[in-house]
Amino acid sequence: MRKVMGTALLVAAAGLTIEYFAGVADFPTIPPGPFILGIAGVLVLALTRPRWPLVVGLIAALFVTVGGLIEGSVWHRIADPGEFADWLGVVLQWTGQVVAIVAGILAIRGAYFSRVRALGARSR
């Protein structure tokens, strides 16, 4: 699940980058989303031993997802495939974010609960 999560974060970052270069209205001059998701994805994929990158990746995906839902323009862009680059970017972004959140929850559950089970088995 770690690889799925890291890859999904990078896909979401790529989607945001496509939206930026396609000229989506009201994008900040330097959008933070691609950096947040990209760095989190690299951490998740590069640091395979520690468990904390999984938490960082999940928080990053949730942060950008909640921010996008509050901002609200995603529904217009996803419903209008007439602007193909905008539409492709938003589909990649949101698919990546949803997959990253689900994979992150499963990866964290596996990483933390497998350790608890292993410690419990050792104490017997």
Side-chain angles (χ1 to χ4, degrees), residues 85-101:
D86 295 354
W87 182 81
L88 177 63
V90 78
V91 167
L92 286 175
Q93 175 197 350
W94 285 87
T95 302
Q97 287 171 197
V98 169
V99 170
I101 290 169

Side-chain angles (χ1 to χ4, degrees), residues 31-124:
F35 295 107
I36 293 168
L37 294 171
I39 291 169
V42 169
L43 284 174
V44 168
L45 292 172
L47 303 175
T48 58
R49 289 298 261 171
R51 295 173 289 176
W52 64 265
L54 298 172
V55 176
V56 169
L58 180 60
I59 290 170
L62 287 170
F63 178 76
V64 175
T65 300
V66 169
L69 290 173
I70 290 171
E71 189 268 332
S73 69
V74 64
W75 306 115
H76 170 70
R77 289 195 312 270
I78 207 160
D80 182 19
E83 295 292 329
F84 183 72
D86 295 354
W87 182 81
L88 177 63
V90 78
V91 167
L92 286 175
Q93 175 197 350
W94 285 87
T95 302
Q97 287 171 197
V98 169
V99 170
I101 290 169
V102 171
I105 290 169
L106 294 174
I108 289 169
R109 186 175 146 245
Y112 282 91
F113 289 119
S114 66
R115 181 164 169 80
V116 169
R117 283 191 299 262
L119 290 175
R122 260 193 262 161
S123 65
R124 291 183 194 166

